[in-house]
Amino acid sequence: MEQEMDEWKKLMLIHKFALDEVNTKLNILNEEFQHIHQYNPIEHIKSRLKNQHGIIQKLNRKGYALTPENARRHVHDIAGIRITCSFASDIYHVLQMLKQQRDIQLAHVKDYIKQPKPNGYQSLHAIIEIPVFMAASTEKTMVEVQIRTAAMDFWAGLEHKLFYKFDGVIPPRLQKELKSAADTMTALGQKMEAIKQEMDFVKNGGTFI
């Protein structure tokens, strides 16, 4: 029992260190764009570490034995970071910057922007692997990175509140309204992106027709 508790503590600590590593990289990129470049694709960065109770719940849902080793192998969102951007194009720019980091490996991507969920949810989910250098070992650790626009984040927050308000079963009428709101959000995002592209065109010496 004591050995297993120590293994859980080590698992949590390693994921905390992995979260710290990725946060540091993102904060460096954020400050670089703020002080050196004319445009910053990153609006906000938020991180969280899933607690042991949440990990055990996920292992239960997946049908795995409740062990630290299974958590390490099968629960890839113990460490999570959410990045919000202004425009959809910024999302892919941020993902590309992460891929260019030499010690980061991109393990998996789910693109719910190009292929939204049926309820209208949009976001880009990436599982990245980063080495954590311990005293006696190097632990390759998974971190989930969610990248979305501020509008997508607002929509997801509202959907999350409704999900828990109605105990996981959102009434059909509200589901329809949420989907309509997601469609409106997409159209508005595309229009704002087009305006931004025109601004960039003029800034780079182009002229309006």
Side-chain angles (χ1 to χ4, degrees):
M1 180 65 73
E2 185 176 346
Q3 181 180 352
E4 186 173 347
M5 287 179 62
D6 287 342
E7 289 175 0
W8 276 109
K9 287 179 182 177
K10 182 180 179 182
L11 176 83
M12 300 305 296
L13 198 59
I14 288 171
H15 281 84
K16 177 188 178 299
F17 293 156
L19 201 57
D20 290 344
E21 289 277 353
V22 180
N23 265 321
T24 297
K25 290 178 179 295
L26 288 169
N27 286 328
I28 288 171
L29 289 171
N30 194 16
E31 288 200 36
E32 177 189 346
F33 275 94
Q34 285 177 8
H35 297 292
I36 297 177
H37 303 289
Q38 293 182 342
Y39 177 74
N40 186 0
I42 298 173
E43 290 284 342
H44 184 67
I45 301 168
K46 184 178 181 180
S47 61
R48 67 101 184 96
L49 193 67
K50 190 185 289 291
N51 59 35
Q52 187 174 336
H53 177 68
I55 297 169
I56 287 172
Q57 283 186 320
K58 193 152 193 177
L59 285 173
N60 265 324
R61 289 197 300 271
K62 288 175 172 279
Y64 294 110
L66 310 180
T67 66
E69 178 61 21
N70 277 340
R72 186 184 70 80
R73 287 179 177 272
H74 303 295
V75 183
H76 297 155
D77 64 344
I78 297 174
I81 292 178
R82 183 175 299 151
I83 305 166
T84 56
C85 307
S86 294
F87 301 98
S89 58
D90 294 337
I91 293 170
Y92 299 100
H93 187 191
V94 171
L95 179 65
Q96 187 61 32
M97 288 192 295
L98 282 173
K99 288 167 63 177
Q100 289 173 348
Q101 300 283 322
R102 290 184 179 180
D103 54 350
I104 285 179
Q105 295 294 320
L106 186 63
H108 187 65
V109 173
K110 288 184 178 179
D111 191 338
Y112 296 116
I113 299 168
K114 293 179 179 176
Q115 294 184 318
K117 289 186 178 182
N119 67 349
Y121 174 85
Q122 297 181 50
S123 184
L124 189 142
H125 294 192
I127 303 296
I128 61 174
E129 186 180 70
I130 187 167
V132 174
F133 299 99
M134 306 292 283
S137 64
T138 299
E139 306 285 344
K140 292 185 177 180
T141 308
M142 299 291 189
V143 176
E144 183 189 56
V145 180
Q146 295 182 2
I147 318 174
R148 57 180 67 156
T149 66
M152 293 171 190
D153 192 53
F154 179 71
W155 185 98
L158 176 60
E159 194 271 346
H160 184 75
K161 289 176 183 176
L162 288 172
F163 184 85
Y164 283 99
K165 175 76 173 178
F166 293 100
D167 296 323
V169 184
I170 300 175
R173 183 179 67 82
L174 290 181
Q175 290 182 24
K176 185 177 179 180
E177 291 293 333
L178 276 172
K179 180 61 170 63
S180 176
D183 293 340
T184 301
M185 175 186 70
T186 299
L188 178 60
Q190 290 171 348
K191 183 169 289 189
M192 297 299 288
E193 186 97 43
I195 292 171
K196 175 183 175 292
Q197 289 174 359
E198 285 202 45
M199 288 171 56
D200 292 341
F201 176 71
V202 174
K203 187 186 297 183
N204 292 326
T207 56
F208 288 117
I209 298 174

